[in-house]
């Protein structure tokens, strides 16, 4: 018996087979992996948005730091 290897799927692939390969490695439904990937992507973009907004509120303007700029 050969050891388990993480690789892209050749049968159950939608774009490149990455989610299918991960699902095959962990022996779960590929749809669950795809849904988890979409949710993680949405939340990471949301987190980046809030970090950006927070920095925009906290950081001073250049004219506040360098008067007459």
């Amino acid at each position: 018996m050969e050891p388990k290897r993480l690789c892209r799927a050749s049968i159950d692939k939608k774009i490149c087979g990455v989610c299918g390969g991960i699902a095959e490695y962990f022996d779960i439904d590929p749809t669950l992996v795809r849904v988890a990937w979409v949710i993680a992507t949405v939340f990471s973009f949301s987190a980046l948005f809030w970090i950006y907004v927070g920095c925009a509120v906290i950081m001073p303007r250049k004219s506040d730091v360098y008067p007459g700029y």
Side-chain angles (χ1 to χ4, degrees):
M1 183 173 175
E2 55 183 79
K4 245 180 158 177
R5 293 192 60 191
L6 183 59
C7 57
R8 293 188 299 169
S10 58
I11 296 172
D12 188 20
K13 62 181 183 178
K14 295 294 181 197
I15 296 175
C16 291
V18 176
C19 290
I22 292 170
E24 188 177 305
Y25 182 79
F26 289 110
D27 197 29
I28 57 176
D29 186 26
T31 306
L32 295 174
V33 177
R34 291 182 184 109
V35 168
W37 181 82
V38 168
I39 290 171
T41 302
V42 168
F43 280 122
S44 68
F45 283 129
S46 175
L48 290 175
F49 171 76
W50 286 112
I51 289 170
Y52 180 80
V53 168
C55 288
V57 170
I58 294 171
M59 292 176 64
R61 292 190 179 109
K62 198 170 198 176
S63 60
D64 294 342
V65 177
Y66 302 107
Y69 202 86

